[in-house]
Amino acid sequence: MNFTILLFVSMFCGLILAQNDAPDATGTEETGETKSCYPDMCDLLTEFGAMREKLTSVETRLAASETRLKESEARLKDSENQILELRNKERTKVMFSTAIGQGNKHIGPFNTDTTLIYRRVITNIGGAYSPSTGIFTAPVAGVYYFTIFYHAGGTTPGMLLLYKNDDLVVVTHDYISDGADNGGNAAFLQLQPRDQVYVRLGANSHVWGADYSTTFSGFLVTQM
């Protein structure tokens, strides 16, 4: 663009000089005042070309600034979304604690493994535990911590099995003894939404069904 402008200026100035050197059609010569205007016009065109060059440079810098501004706005939006996501994670609270709560009596023994229903709900923040089925359903992806404890008499073995979906995770059990039996276990589990965690009473075993002794608890440690 700069070369084109300079070429135009040169051609224009050359044309003016040629006209300046040519005799007037009437045979008279131009006055010195008229001739002096042509160099001024060339200077103006030269200045105009320089101004165009500066204007082009300014426009280029403005376009680059606008691009950087858009990139900064995009990064800011991403940061805001990340902060919002972290806040939502902090607001997600999941924890429960339950007990068998079926009176002071033995639960079991049964011929097969049987899912226990913990009917006394001590805490159920987030509503992920169902007291009608005994099953905890993960509402969000994350790492959870679960504990199981039981109390039983010594005449029949005691055994509890903690399951994640169809997979056995941990077991606690005791053999027949002369006195009371107590046992427990715990596990960290990485769960996806709708994964289920529950407790089964082992076949031919029993636990003491009361409001305080045999419990199933868990809580969300962190979201993933």
Side-chain angles (χ1 to χ4, degrees), residues 16-155:
I16 291 175
L17 292 175
Q19 291 179 351
N20 188 35
D21 293 336
D24 185 66
T26 61
T28 61
E29 294 184 357
E30 294 178 338
T31 64
E33 182 179 354
T34 305
K35 291 181 180 180
S36 64
C37 294
Y38 294 136
D40 293 339
M41 181 63 69
C42 291
D43 291 340
L44 287 174
L45 289 174
T46 302
E47 292 177 3
F48 175 74
M51 291 176 63
R52 286 289 302 271
E53 181 179 354
K54 292 180 180 179
L55 180 60
T56 301
S57 177
V58 170
E59 290 176 346
T60 301
R61 290 197 296 269
L62 286 175
S65 298
E66 184 177 359
T67 300
R68 289 194 296 271
L69 178 60
K70 290 181 179 179
E71 292 175 351
S72 298
E73 290 176 347
R75 289 194 295 269
L76 179 60
K77 186 64 175 179
D78 291 339
S79 298
E80 291 175 349
N81 291 337
Q82 291 175 4
I83 292 173
L84 181 61
E85 183 178 354
L86 289 174
R87 287 179 177 176
N88 289 336
K89 287 183 178 180
E90 291 176 355
R91 293 193 190 103
T92 303
K93 305 295 183 182
V94 182
M95 58 189 68
F96 74 100
S97 188
T98 62
I100 288 293
Q102 297 186 29
N104 293 321
K105 62 180 181 179
H106 290 297
I107 306 298
F110 304 109
N111 294 330
T112 60
D113 295 349
T114 303
T115 300
L116 285 178
I117 299 177
Y118 294 79
R119 300 192 182 279
R120 182 187 175 221
V121 177
I122 302 169
T123 303
N124 193 16
I125 298 174
Y129 173 78
S130 172
S132 60
T133 63
I135 296 174
F136 171 87
T137 303
V140 295
V143 175
Y144 296 76
Y145 182 70
F146 296 93
T147 62
I148 52 174
F149 292 98
Y150 76 90
H151 173 74
T155 57

Side-chain angles (χ1 to χ4, degrees), residues 106-114 116 150-153 155-161 171-176 181 200-208:
H106 290 297
I107 306 298
F110 304 109
N111 294 330
T112 60
D113 295 349
T114 303
L116 285 178
Y150 76 90
H151 173 74
T155 57
T156 304
M159 178 183 296
L160 293 182
L161 307 95
V171 177
T172 178
H173 64 88
D174 198 357
Y175 298 104
I176 297 175
D181 296 326
R200 282 182 173 174
L201 178 66
N204 302 315
S205 67
H206 80 289
V207 293
W208 188 247

